[in-house]
C-alpha cells in the first residue's frame, strides 16, 4: 500500500559517498562546528528547523552568506499568518545572486529548442545582456516598483529579463506565448505593466506559431504599456508587431552592455507576481519578495535538491509555471541551466532523454505525467542513451505512481535518486520533497522540507498520521506571499486561512507516515491542476458560457493513480435539452482554446439538465469532485443545501458509470 512504509518498499539508498559529499551533510557539520548542534537524523534536523525558526533561518542566512547592503536586525519580528515579517532591516537584491556564482566555465545557460540547435550562453554574456536590458528599461522610465511583463518562451530572453527587472527593483511577471491574448490580458492587465517583453512566436510539435497578432491584441488592451521589446523567433527578418507603444527588437534592447548594477531593496520588497487561479473571479496575483524567494530557493536548490556548480540542471517547464522560477534558481549555486522550448513528446517521447544525454544533464526535472507516459510507452532510456551522468530526477506536478518509481529505477538508472516533491505556486517551492540523506520508498515523498512545519489536519484541526488529511503549514515560511495584487488582504485570508485561522490550508490531501514520508492524494479544493499548471474554473466558465446555446457549465479535475488527470465538463443548454451536438462541442472547444489555451480543453463534454448550486448560487464543484473520487452522495452534500439535488444525482450517476466502464483505480478521498 502507498500509505505504508515497509522496508521492502525501499527502492534506493544513498551510498556513503553521496551522503558524505552532499551539501546537506556539510551544512549539518557546519551547524555542529559553529553552534554545537548535533543531529542524529534528518528527522531531528527538521524538528529543530520548525521549532526554532529564528535560529534555523538565521543559519540559512549565514551559511549562504547573501550579499546584503545592510544586515538584518531581527529574523522574525512577527510570526502571525498572514502578516509574518522576515529579516527586518536587511537590504539586498535577488538579481545579484543569480550572477554571483558564475565562472568562466562551464556556461550559465544551454538553450535548446525543437530545431535541436543548442545555444551556449556564458556567464559573462548573460551579465552583459542583463546590463544592456537594464539600461533600456531605465531609459524607458522603469523604476523601483514598476511592472515588467513577459510573454516569452522558456529560454535566455526570459532569464535575462528577470535579472534586469529585479536589478532595478521593478516587479516581474511572465507567461508562456501559447496562452491566448484574453488569458494574458486577464493576468497582466491587473498589473498595468510599463514594459512588455514578448516572443513573436514559438515552435511546438514541429510547427511554428506566429504570435504577433496576439501581441498586438495584448498591447492594445493594456494601455499602460509604453515599450514593447520583441524577440524574433521564427524569422529574423520578420516585421515587428505594430502597437500603440514604442517597439524595438530584442537585439537592440540588450546591445548596450556595460557594467551590471543593482538597486538594494528591503528584504520584503516585491520581486514578482505569479498567477494562480481560484474558483471565482480573475486569476489572483501572488506577490513574493526578493529576500523570501532568495533564501527559500537557496535552501531548496542546495540542501534539498543537492545541486552544485558541477551540475547541469534541466526541468521540463514553461514560463507560466512556477517550476520555471525554480529552474532559474539553479544559477544561484553556479549550475548550468538547460532550457528547452518545445514539446516534451516531439518528435517522440525520447526527446528529453536524448537532450539529457547530449548535454550532460545531471539533474532532470519532469512532471510525473511525463514519466508515466514514458512508462506506458515502454521506453527504456538507459538502453538507448548514455545517461551515466544523470544522478537525480525531480518529479513534480502530480503524484508519481508506484509503477512510475519502479520504471525510473529499472529503465533510467538504478542509482538515480527520485526526488519527488509537492508544493505550490503560492509559495514557489515545495512543502514536502527530497533529502539526500534518506532512502526512497516506492510511491512516497521522502520528507518534510526544512523550515516547513507541514502537517495533515482532520476537519477539526487535529494533526493526523497514517490517514489522509488537509495539508497545512502551522508556522510561516519566508516565501509565503507578502500579499495578493490589488487586494486589501481579504482574498489572501480567504484563500488559505478561512478553515483553520492562523494556519495555512493549502488545498491538498496528504497522508504522513511516522517517519515523515508522505503521499499526496490530489487537490482537496476545486482548482484544477493539469500538467502542473493550476487553472481557475472561473476562467473556463467565462469562455464557455459565452457560447450561444450554452446556459451554464461546471468542470472538475480528477487525479488518477497512474499520474493521469481526468477533466470532465458538464453543460446545461439554453433550450433545456440534453442534446449536445457535435457542432456545439466544437464551438465550446474552440472558445476555450481561443480564450485560454489547448491545455484547458476538458476530456469529456456531458450535457445535463441543470448545474447544481448551493442555496447562495455557488456551483457545487468540490462535492462533485469527491463523487469522482469514490465518495457517496450523502457524504458530500446536505440535500437541503442544494438548489437542485436531482441535478447532483444525475452527475453522480455519470461518475459511477464512468468509473465502472473505464475500470480505473480512483484515489481515496
Amino acid at each position: 500500500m502507498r500509505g505504508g512504509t515497509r522496508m521492502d518498499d525501499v527502492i534506493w539508498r544513498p551510498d556513503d559517498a553521496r551522503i558524505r559529499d552532499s551539501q546537506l551533510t556539510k551544512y549539518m557539520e557546519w551547524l555542529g562546528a559553529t553552534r554545537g548542534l548535533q543531529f542524529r537524523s534528518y528527522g531531528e534536523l527538521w524538528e529543530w528547523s520548525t521549532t526554532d525558526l529564528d535560529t534555523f533561518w538565521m543559519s540559512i542566512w549565514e551559511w549562504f552568506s547573501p550579499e546584503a547592503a545592510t544586515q538584518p536586525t531581527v529574523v522574525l519580528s512577527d510570526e502571525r499568518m498572514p502578516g509574518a515579517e522576515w529579516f527586518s532591516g536587511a537590504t539586498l537584491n535577488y538579481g545579484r545572486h543569480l550572477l554571483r556564482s558564475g565562472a568562466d566555465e562551464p556556461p550559465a545557460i544551454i538553450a535548446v529548442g525543437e530545431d535541436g540547435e543548442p545555444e551556449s550562453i556564458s556567464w559573462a554574456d548573460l551579465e552583459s545582456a542583463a546590463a544592456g536590458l537594464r539600461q533600456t528599461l531605465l531609459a524607458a522610465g522603469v523604476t523601483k516598483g514598476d511592472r515588467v511583463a513577459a510573454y516569452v518562451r522558456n529560454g535566455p530572453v526570459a532569464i535575462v529579463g528577470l535579472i534586469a527587472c529585479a536589478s532595478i527593483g521593478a516587479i516581474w511577471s511572465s507567461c508562456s506565448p501559447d496562452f491566448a491574448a484574453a488569458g494574458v490580458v486577464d493576468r497582466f492587465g491587473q498589473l498595468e505593466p510599463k514594459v512588455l517583453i514578448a516572443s513573436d512566436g514559438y515552435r511546438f510539435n514541429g510547427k511554428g506559431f506566429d504570435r504577433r497578432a496576439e501581441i498586438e491584441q495584448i498591447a492594445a488592451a493594456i494601455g499602460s504599456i509604453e515599450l514593447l521589446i520583441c524577440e524574433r523567433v521564427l524569422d529574423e527578418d520578420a516585421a515587428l508587431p505594430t502597437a500603440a507603444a514604442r517597439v524595438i527588437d530584442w537585439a537592440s534592447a540588450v546591445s548596450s552592455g556595460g557594467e551590471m548594477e543593482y538597486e538594494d531593496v528591503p528584504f520584503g520588497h516585491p520581486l514578482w507576481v505569479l498567477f494562480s487561479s481560484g474558483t471565482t473571479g480573475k486569476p489572483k496575483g501572488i506577490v513574493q519578495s526578493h529576500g523570501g524567494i532568495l533564501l527559500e530557493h537557496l535552501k531548496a536548490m542546495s540542501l534539498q535538491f543537492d545541486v552544485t556548480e558541477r551540475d547541469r540542471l534541466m526541468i521540463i517547464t514553461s514560463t507560466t509555471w512556477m517550476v520555471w522560477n525554480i529552474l532559474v534558481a539553479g544559477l544561484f549555486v553556479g549550475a548550468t541551466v538547460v532550457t528547452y522550448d518545445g514539446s516534451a513528446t516531439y518528435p517522440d517521447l525520447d526527446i528529453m532523454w536524448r537532450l539529457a544525454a547530449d548535454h550532460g544533464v545531471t539533474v532532470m526535472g519532469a512532471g510525473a505525467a511525463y514519466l508515466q507516459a514514458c512508462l506506458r510507452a515502454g521506453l527504456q532510456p538507459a538502453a538507448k542513451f548514455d545517461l551515466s551522468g544523470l544522478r537525480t530526477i525531480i518529479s513534480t506536478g502530480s503524484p508519481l505512481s508506484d509503477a512510475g518509481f519502479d520504471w525510473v529505477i529499472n529503465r533510467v538508472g538504478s542509482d538515480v535518486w527520485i526526488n519527488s516533491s509537492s508544493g505550490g505556486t503560492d509559495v514557489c517551492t515545495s512543502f514536502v520533497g527530497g533529502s539526500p540523506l534518506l532512502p526512497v520508498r516506492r510511491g512516497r515523498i521522502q520528507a518534510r522540507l526544512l523550515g516547513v512545519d507541514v502537517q495533515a489536519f482532520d476537519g477539526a484541526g487535529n494533526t493526523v498520521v497514517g490517514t489522509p488529511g488537509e495539508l497545512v503549514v502551522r508556522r510561516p515560511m519566508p516565501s509565503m506571499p507578502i500579499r495578493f495584487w490589488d487586494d486589501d488582504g481579504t482574498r489572501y485570508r480567504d484563500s488559505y486561512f478561512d478553515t483553520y485561522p492562523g494556519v495555512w490550508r493549502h488545498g491538498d490531501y496528504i497522508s504522513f507516515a511516522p517517519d515523515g514520508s508522505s503521499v499526496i492524494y490530489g487537490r482537496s479544493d476545486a482548482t484544477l491542476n493539469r500538467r502542473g499548471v493550476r487553472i481557475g474554473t472561473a476562467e473556463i466558465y467565462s469562455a464557455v458560457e459565452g457560447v450561444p446555446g450554452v446556459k451554464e457549465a461546471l468542470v472538475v479535475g480528477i487525479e488518477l493513480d497512474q499520474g493521469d488527470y481526468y477533466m470532465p465538463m458538464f453543460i446545461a443548454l439554453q433550450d433545456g435539452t440534453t442534446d449536445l451536438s457535435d457542432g456545439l462541442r466544437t464551438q465550446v472547444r474552440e472558445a476555450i482554446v481561443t480564450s485560454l489555451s489547448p491545455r484547458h480543453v476538458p476530456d469529456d463534454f456531458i450535457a445535463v439538465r441543470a448545474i447544481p448550486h448551493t442555496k447562495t448560487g455557488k456551483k457545487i464543484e468540490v462535492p462533485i469532485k469527491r463523487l469522482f473520487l469514490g465518495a457517496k452522495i450523502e457524504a458530500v452534500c446536505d440535500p437541503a443545501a442544494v438548489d437542485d439535488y436531482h441535478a447532483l444525482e444525475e452527475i453522480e450517476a455519470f461518475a459511477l458509470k464512468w468509473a465502472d466502464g473505464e475500470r480505473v483505480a480512483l484515489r481515496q478521498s
Side-chain angles (χ1 to χ4, degrees):
M1 293 179 59
R2 301 197 75 190
T5 54
R6 303 189 309 268
M7 293 306 294
D8 60 1
D9 285 340
V10 173
I11 59 173
W12 179 89
R13 291 183 185 276
D15 59 27
D16 291 343
R18 188 153 193 167
I19 292 173
R20 181 191 65 239
D21 296 338
S22 71
Q23 298 305 298
L24 185 54
T25 292
K26 294 175 182 177
Y27 166 69
M28 293 173 69
E29 291 172 347
W30 175 80
L31 286 175
T34 60
R35 287 170 168 74
L37 294 169
Q38 303 292 332
F39 301 101
R40 294 172 296 177
S41 67
Y42 179 86
E44 285 189 2
L45 176 66
W46 173 82
E47 187 72 30
W48 165 75
S49 77
T50 55
T51 54
D52 192 350
L53 290 181
D54 286 65
T55 305
F56 168 70
W57 284 107
M58 193 63 204
S59 77
I60 294 296
W61 177 281
E62 294 177 358
W63 172 250
F64 290 106
S65 188
E67 294 184 33
T70 57
Q71 295 293 312
T73 55
V74 62
V75 175
L76 186 56
S77 56
D78 191 338
E79 194 178 317
R80 290 178 301 170
M81 289 196 296
E85 296 181 11
W86 290 94
F87 289 90
S88 299
T91 55
L92 41 64
N93 190 285
Y94 163 96
R96 175 186 287 118
H97 296 83
L98 289 176
L99 293 174
R100 76 165 182 164
S101 297
D104 293 337
E105 292 290 341
I109 302 170
I110 297 174
V112 186
E114 283 193 352
D115 57 11
E117 293 296 328
E119 178 187 5
S120 182
I121 294 96
S122 70
W123 290 90
D125 287 346
L126 178 60
E127 182 171 0
S128 176
L133 182 58
R134 171 187 165 87
Q135 292 304 316
T136 297
L137 295 177
L138 290 171
V142 175
T143 61
K144 183 167 60 179
D146 286 337
R147 278 75 65 199
V148 175
Y151 184 58
V152 290
R153 60 191 183 132
N154 180 20
V157 166
I159 297 176
V160 170
L162 172 57
I163 296 172
C165 179
S167 75
I168 298 170
I171 303 169
W172 172 264
S173 190
S174 63
C175 180
S176 171
D178 68 342
F179 260 61
V184 178
V185 172
D186 276 350
R187 290 160 171 77
F188 292 166
Q190 299 179 49
L191 307 181
E192 299 180 294
K194 187 171 286 187
V195 175
L196 175 67
I197 303 171
S199 302
D200 71 358
Y202 66 95
R203 291 182 176 86
F204 194 82
N205 281 339
K207 299 178 181 179
F209 294 86
D210 188 332
R211 306 304 279 175
R212 286 177 294 175
E214 284 75 15
I215 293 169
E216 290 175 359
Q217 292 173 38
I218 294 164
I222 303 176
S224 61
I225 296 173
E226 298 176 8
L227 173 65
L228 169 62
I229 301 172
C230 191
E231 176 199 19
R232 288 185 170 100
V233 176
L234 302 179
D235 182 354
E236 292 183 0
D237 298 321
L240 294 173
T242 58
R246 186 165 64 94
V247 183
I248 62 174
D249 67 7
W250 176 256
S252 300
V254 301
S255 61
S256 63
E259 292 294 323
M260 191 65 190
E261 298 180 16
Y262 301 92
E263 175 81 14
D264 287 304
V265 295
F267 186 93
H269 183 76
L271 169 63
W272 57 44
V273 178
L274 304 179
F275 285 97
S276 180
S277 300
T279 57
T280 58
K282 286 188 176 182
K284 60 179 182 279
I286 298 170
V287 187
Q288 290 156 342
S289 70
H290 275 245
I293 289 295
L294 173 63
L295 288 193
E296 176 58 41
H297 284 188
L298 281 168
K299 179 207 74 175
M301 191 58 59
S302 180
L303 303 185
Q304 311 287 176
F305 296 151
D306 199 34
V307 176
T308 73
E309 72 280 356
R310 300 184 300 275
D311 285 304
R312 290 193 171 190
L313 171 67
M314 178 177 73
I315 305 179
I316 306 169
T317 186
S318 76
T319 56
T320 306
W321 193 10
M322 66 79 139
V323 172
W324 177 81
N325 305 71
I326 299 290
L327 171 65
V328 175
L331 299 175
F332 281 151
V333 295
T336 296
V337 168
V338 180
T339 65
Y340 178 65
D341 177 50
S343 170
T345 62
Y346 178 83
D348 50 50
L349 279 168
D350 276 330
I351 181 61
M352 303 316 301
W353 308 108
R354 185 178 298 113
L355 291 175
D358 289 348
H359 299 292
V361 170
T362 57
V363 181
M364 174 178 167
Y370 173 74
L371 299 176
Q372 294 291 153
C374 292
L375 181 160
R376 289 193 296 268
L379 265 58
Q380 301 188 44
K384 196 169 184 179
F385 306 104
D386 180 6
L387 299 176
S388 57
L390 184 63
R391 62 187 187 90
T392 305
I393 286 184
I394 302 168
S395 173
T396 190
S398 58
L400 183 62
S401 70
D402 292 6
F405 275 78
D406 288 336
W407 179 83
V408 172
I409 293 297
N410 295 328
R411 302 299 183 219
V412 179
S414 60
D415 197 35
V416 171
W417 171 30
I418 305 173
N419 188 324
S420 182
S421 66
S422 182
T425 302
D426 322 70
V427 290
C428 201
T429 190
S430 297
F431 301 115
V432 291
S435 165
L437 310 184
L438 297 176
V440 172
R441 289 187 164 89
R442 180 181 294 106
R444 302 193 66 83
I445 298 172
Q446 286 175 288
R448 299 171 169 97
L449 296 199
L450 298 178
V452 185
D453 188 7
V454 57
Q455 307 286 343
F457 269 15
D458 63 17
N462 302 309
T463 300
V464 293
V465 176
T467 58
E470 290 277 358
L471 188 157
V472 300
V473 182
R474 298 187 300 186
R475 304 190 72 185
M477 299 165 56
S479 67
M480 283 177 173
I482 53 176
R483 59 186 171 92
F484 284 173
W485 193 262
D486 197 23
D487 175 44
D488 63 1
T490 301
R491 196 177 184 194
Y492 186 11
R493 288 190 296 272
D494 289 348
S495 294
Y496 309 113
F497 303 103
D498 62 340
T499 303
Y500 310 108
V503 174
W504 175 291
R505 184 190 72 89
H506 189 62
D508 281 343
Y509 279 129
I510 191 170
S511 174
F512 286 101
D515 68 350
S517 65
S518 60
V519 173
I520 297 284
Y521 293 92
R523 299 295 297 168
S524 62
D525 60 20
T527 302
L528 307 173
N529 185 10
R530 196 172 209 178
R531 299 174 191 168
V533 177
R534 292 176 64 189
I535 305 162
T537 55
E539 294 185 86
I540 297 182
Y541 299 149
S542 178
V544 172
E545 292 174 359
V547 174
V550 174
K551 179 180 179 182
E552 199 173 14
L554 184 146
V555 63
V556 292
I558 315 299
E559 296 85 5
L560 305 180
D561 260 339
Q562 296 303 313
D564 289 335
Y565 195 75
Y566 178 61
M567 202 166 114
M569 171 175 283
F570 299 91
I571 297 177
L573 302 177
Q574 291 282 7
D575 61 11
T577 71
T578 56
D579 182 18
L580 185 58
S581 67
D582 290 342
L584 188 55
R585 279 191 176 89
T586 299
Q587 290 182 56
V588 170
R589 186 179 291 107
E590 289 177 351
I592 295 170
V593 171
T594 301
S595 297
L596 296 166
S597 84
R599 70 162 56 93
H600 299 113
V601 175
D603 298 299
D604 278 329
F605 298 95
I606 306 101
V608 293
R609 179 184 52 80
I611 301 296
H613 306 80
T614 65
K615 291 299 178 70
T616 58
K618 293 182 179 180
K619 295 175 185 177
I620 301 177
E621 295 170 319
V622 173
I624 288 174
K625 174 174 179 173
R626 292 185 64 195
L627 291 177
F628 278 87
L629 292 170
K632 301 295 185 183
I633 191 169
E634 59 269 18
V636 304
C637 205
D638 179 359
V642 184
D643 65 350
D644 190 336
Y645 193 70
H646 293 305
L648 185 61
E649 290 177 323
E650 290 173 14
I651 293 177
E652 180 199 32
F654 175 84
L656 292 171
K657 181 179 178 181
W658 172 80
D660 180 62
E662 296 294 327
R663 292 188 174 91
V664 294
L666 293 170
R667 293 189 177 279
Q668 294 176 307
S669 60

